[in-house]
Amino acid sequence: MSDKIRMSGLISGLDTDSVIEALVSNKRQKVTNAEGDQKKLEWKQDLWKEINTNIKALQQTYIAKMRFGSAFSKKTTSVSSSSVASVVTGEGAVDATQKLKVEKLAKTAYLTGADLNGASTDKSYTASTKLSELGYGDGKTDTISINIGGKVKETLAVDENTTISDVLSSLKKAGLNASFDENTQRIFVSSKSTGASKDFTLTDSNGALSALGLATATKAQMQDENFDQSKFATKIDGSDAVIYLNNAKFTSDSNTFKINNLTITALEETGDKEVTLTTQTDTSGIYGMIKDMITQYNKVINQIDKYYNAESARKYTMLTDEQKEALSEDEVEKYENKIKDSLLRRDTNLLNLRNIFTGVMSSGIEIGGKTMYLSDFGIGTGSYFDTADDEKHALHIDGDEDDPTSSTKADKLSALIASDPAKVQEFFTRLSQDLYSKLSNVSKSVDGYRSFGNFYDDKKMKSDYDGYKKTIATLEEKANDYEDSLYRKFSAMEKAMANLQSKTNALSGLLGVSSN
């Protein structure tokens, strides 16, 4: 409605606003109808986006992978003693029973410095403590060399003013972990990973390491009868892991070995004892993959059936703002859901998708001269008379404990995976290839109608939605123009009546006749 301020009906006595509102109502209704149609299109877009997302998940997460035989090459490896090793089985691993012995675990080089207080309890040092405070003075100088993997990584020139913090910084710069613990008054140094190649040594030439408690004892010093270990640092050398698999020796700078599609992580040394690794087909893994695909398929097909078979909502018209105000939020939501759920009723695009899904899933595939169907693997739809209309195309796996429809039946799928995995692989790869191909063909880009990878006419819907914006704006403009023209006409009428009344009063005055 126009924002102009109007005064009318003063002369005629007519309720001009009500009259004009009634005359304009037809054009206003056209605006309301267009807004309602646009809102329904928006809801329709939302429904399709949800369906589209679910179909994409089926295609990309499951079908795309299952069309390759490698997806069914699932193996699992058990270890006779889980405390000794863990094994991750990769694609291409072969069924086998192997013997494993863990001779040595990989270690991280670790140096624990001597207590800088020694026997004294009246001193306490910090990272800012200088070497002079540790007894290293009298103008002494030294150079500490930090060697990792047999190579000098960093050198530090020291004197009496060098602090513990300076030393820690050089150790870290070389690529080591280093810290000073004020509670124990010790410096701790370690390599950042396991293995002999990450082992480190610290050397000097004038006693700086001894002052810092970082000097390790030599063999000669340890053999001295007066040797005092507390004055020296203790060190664990970094070392490689060593295992024997089927008596073949393997070494690694970590405790993880990748051997013939097995990733073996050594956890415990076994000495001369051996444990058994058993690699075999992962029946539960293949079953789980097929079950997950069927679950997502059912989500898609049930959703398609729900909207395609929806009840008609012709008697439900879009609520006006005034009607919404008269209802509760729950009542409005319930009413609008009736309309939303019916928007894809008997939709031809939905029907086409349903025919693709049900056609592929019910088709036969020749394997070894025999045509096989999903039913041969214990997979099929439920009873027609006992199944809800929106679930008639859903698939059930016999023996699936999570599915009350088929949980009591014999588990044919698991049995076939265990006895004839090649047959299972061939059937489901070819089934997946067929479905993937058909879905890809449907989701091709169509100029002006569909974007690549989508299963509905998203471009056309967006174009139509934008078209409604223009239509609504045009209808509103026409209604406002019509309203303004009516007000002008009524205003002209009021002026004419006012002029007539004025002349009548004047004439009455001349004739001496009261206008009353």
Side-chain angles (χ1 to χ4, degrees):
M1 180 178 290
S2 175
D3 294 329
K4 296 177 182 178
I5 299 175
R6 303 181 176 98
M7 295 181 67
S8 58
L10 296 177
I11 304 299
S12 66
L14 293 173
D15 184 354
T16 307
D17 288 338
S18 297
V19 173
I20 292 177
E21 182 179 349
L23 292 172
V24 178
S25 63
N26 185 52
K27 293 187 181 294
R28 294 285 181 205
Q29 187 61 46
K30 290 182 179 180
V31 175
T32 301
N33 291 343
E35 288 175 336
D37 290 341
Q38 185 188 42
K39 190 63 178 179
K40 285 193 283 187
L41 179 57
E42 180 184 334
W43 289 342
K44 193 172 183 179
Q45 285 176 305
D46 291 339
L47 293 177
W48 267 115
K49 285 177 183 177
E50 183 183 356
I51 296 169
N52 196 66
T53 297
N54 288 332
I55 297 176
K56 279 188 174 181
L58 174 64
Q59 183 187 32
Q60 297 172 3
T61 305
Y62 301 102
I63 303 301
K65 296 177 181 178
M66 290 174 62
R67 61 196 172 114
F68 298 110
S70 57
F72 295 83
S73 300
K74 293 182 180 294
K75 303 286 183 178
T76 184
T77 301
S78 60
V79 185
S80 60
S81 178
S82 59
S83 64
V84 172
S86 64
V87 181
V88 175
T89 312
E91 291 184 6
V94 296
D95 290 356
T97 300
Q98 305 180 76
K99 297 295 183 180
L100 171 70
K101 180 170 67 175
V102 181
E103 182 178 275
K104 187 166 62 173
L105 292 175
K107 292 183 175 62
T108 300
Y110 199 99
L111 185 146
T112 302
D115 184 351
L116 296 182
N117 266 334
S120 174
T121 58
D122 60 348
K123 294 181 180 179
S124 180
Y125 302 111
T126 67
S128 60
T129 297
K130 296 180 180 179
L131 263 66
S132 59
E133 298 174 65
L134 298 174
Y136 189 83
D138 298 329
K140 281 185 177 182
T141 60
D142 204 345
T143 299
I144 297 175
S145 294
I146 305 169
N147 304 270
I148 300 177
K151 296 180 180 180
V152 177
K153 295 293 183 180
E154 192 72 24
T155 59
L156 174 65
V158 299
D159 57 26
E160 60 186 14
N161 293 316
T162 301
T163 64
I164 292 176
S165 180
D166 294 332
V167 176
L168 296 178
S169 295
S170 290
L171 291 167
K172 292 176 182 178
K173 187 176 179 181
L176 298 172
N177 298 314
S179 63
F180 177 68
D181 183 359
E182 292 187 15
N183 291 323
T184 61
Q185 294 287 287
R186 297 172 187 266
I187 295 175
F188 294 88
V189 185
S190 66
S191 56
K192 291 188 175 181
S193 56
T194 58
S197 64
K198 303 299 186 296
D199 192 21
F200 66 89
T201 58
L202 308 177
T203 59
D204 66 358
S205 57
N206 202 17
L209 289 176
S210 294
L212 291 161
L214 296 177
T216 55
T218 63
K219 287 184 179 181
Q221 288 172 323
M222 287 188 288
Q223 291 172 353
D224 190 308
E225 61 181 13
N226 296 317
F227 174 68
D228 184 359
Q229 177 62 61
S230 67
K231 296 181 179 180
F232 295 90
T234 57
K235 172 132 183 308
I236 297 173
D237 293 334
S239 59
D240 292 338
V242 179
I243 66 170
Y244 288 85
L245 186 64
N246 303 325
N247 294 321
K249 182 180 180 181
F250 298 90
T251 62
S252 172
D253 59 4
S254 73
N255 290 312
T256 299
F257 298 78
K258 292 186 178 181
I259 305 171
N260 196 25
N261 298 308
L262 297 181
T263 300
I264 303 169
T265 300
L267 304 173
E268 182 182 285
E269 295 177 358
T270 62
D272 293 330
K273 295 182 180 179
E274 293 180 323
V275 296
T276 303
L277 309 184
T278 304
T279 302
Q280 57 190 358
T281 299
D282 183 8
T283 304
S284 62
I286 296 174
Y287 179 93
M289 178 179 65
I290 295 173
K291 178 179 176 178
D292 289 344
M293 184 273 284
I294 294 296
T295 299
Q296 183 63 26
Y297 170 84
N298 287 343
K299 184 176 183 179
V300 170
I301 200 68
N302 288 347
Q303 189 177 43
I304 289 174
D305 278 340
K306 171 188 173 182
Y307 291 124
Y308 185 80
N309 297 327
E311 293 182 2
S312 173
R314 289 181 179 177
K315 63 180 181 180
Y316 290 86
T317 58
M318 295 293 285
L319 294 173
T320 64
D321 291 339
E322 291 78 8
Q323 288 172 325
K324 288 181 181 180
E325 290 177 1
L327 300 173
S328 67
E329 289 186 7
D330 288 342
E331 288 173 330
V332 171
E333 182 180 4
K334 185 176 180 180
Y335 184 95
E336 290 185 338
N337 282 340
K338 289 283 188 180
I339 300 174
K340 288 179 184 179
D341 290 346
S342 70
L343 291 175
L344 298 180
R345 171 181 163 82
R346 301 296 185 260
D347 186 280
T348 55
N349 197 12
L350 273 186
L351 180 61
N352 182 42
L353 285 168
R354 187 175 74 178
N355 289 340
I356 288 174
F357 283 118
T358 57
V360 172
M361 291 305 191
S362 62
S363 63
I365 296 174
E366 187 175 330
I367 299 176
K370 178 185 176 183
T371 301
M372 301 193 71
Y373 299 87
L374 276 174
S375 58
D376 293 311
F377 297 86
I379 301 174
T381 56
S383 168
Y384 184 84
F385 297 103
D386 297 333
T387 306
D389 288 342
D390 295 344
E391 297 180 3
K392 288 193 182 301
H393 296 106
L395 296 173
H396 305 272
I397 303 174
D398 290 351
D400 180 4
E401 59 184 16
D402 297 322
D403 189 345
T405 301
S406 56
S407 59
T408 59
K409 298 179 181 179
D411 187 352
K412 189 183 295 185
L413 179 60
S414 291
L416 278 170
I417 293 172
S419 64
D420 199 347
K423 183 179 291 184
V424 175
Q425 173 185 322
E426 185 175 357
F427 181 87
F428 282 96
T429 53
R430 289 173 60 182
L431 180 80
S432 299
Q433 288 166 2
D434 189 19
L435 185 54
Y436 185 87
S437 175
K438 285 182 168 58
L439 290 177
S440 296
N441 188 57
V442 170
S443 61
K444 286 181 179 179
S445 176
V446 180
D447 284 345
Y449 279 81
R450 184 170 300 187
S451 301
F452 177 78
N454 282 335
F455 298 93
Y456 71 107
D457 296 334
D458 57 310
K459 286 185 177 181
K460 180 66 167 57
M461 285 188 178
K462 185 180 184 306
S463 176
D464 289 346
Y465 186 86
D466 293 339
Y468 274 117
K469 292 181 181 178
K470 296 179 181 179
T471 300
I472 292 169
T474 300
L475 290 173
E476 285 182 335
E477 184 178 1
K478 288 182 177 179
N480 289 335
D481 290 345
Y482 182 56
E483 182 183 57
D484 289 340
S485 70
L486 289 175
Y487 270 107
R488 286 195 297 270
K489 291 177 180 178
F490 273 93
S491 179
M493 181 189 73
E494 291 287 333
K495 287 181 180 179
M497 292 181 70
N499 289 332
L500 177 61
Q501 186 181 51
S502 177
K503 291 177 179 179
T504 301
N505 290 339
L507 180 61
S508 298
L510 289 172
L511 297 175
V513 179
S514 174
S515 60
N516 296 323

